Amino acid sequence: AGDVPGPSVPLASMLSVSRSDSVADLSTLSWINSILGWLWPQANAALSRFVHEDLTVRLREALPTHFQAARFSKFTLGRNPPEFGPVEVVQHSDTHVEVDLDVRYLSDVDV
């Protein structure tokens, strides 16, 4: 109990899901991508508010007088969230674990 599985145990088997109503495959991290897709519009709106209401004010205060009129006319992370996966975990020894995670971000950022 509590033992870390050795390299002979594939990550997919440790993360298997048997529910028929599942919206994502745990072994591919599509579950993270699904959650991120649902959260992305709210995170984008919150970050945009932060940039316009907080960061811009702080920048203006920190900049020399000639640059204090600077502002962001637009700021959005865009509609495309990053995608994670697949992930591979390899245990090389009792003290060395390698995690290889692919991240794809096809950004439509507009600043």
Side-chain angles (χ1 to χ4, degrees):
D3 292 5
V4 176
S8 63
V9 178
L11 182 62
S13 69
M14 292 188 301
L15 298 175
S16 65
V17 62
S18 60
R19 291 179 45 144
S20 62
D21 60 346
S22 175
V23 296
D25 177 3
L26 294 177
S27 66
T28 64
L29 297 183
S30 63
W31 64 277
I32 289 178
N33 295 328
S34 293
I35 292 170
L36 189 55
W38 293 325
L39 294 175
W40 194 253
Q42 290 80 18
N44 187 24
L47 187 58
S48 182
R49 275 192 308 278
F50 168 76
V51 166
H52 290 293
E53 297 171 8
D54 190 37
L55 183 62
T56 300
V57 173
R58 291 179 187 205
L59 283 174
R60 286 181 173 171
E61 292 171 354
L63 290 171
T65 306
H66 292 49
F67 298 105
Q68 289 183 349
R71 65 181 180 87
F72 294 94
S73 60
K74 284 185 182 181
F75 186 92
T76 177
L77 294 173
R79 295 178 304 174
N80 304 325
E83 294 181 12
F84 296 93
V87 63
E88 181 181 11
V89 179
V90 179
Q91 183 175 0
H92 294 285
S93 70
D94 288 342
T95 60
H96 181 196
V97 175
E98 177 183 349
V99 178
D100 184 15
L101 172 64
D102 287 350
V103 178
R104 289 171 303 285
Y105 184 40
L106 304 174
S107 171
D108 57 343
V109 168
D110 191 4
V111 178

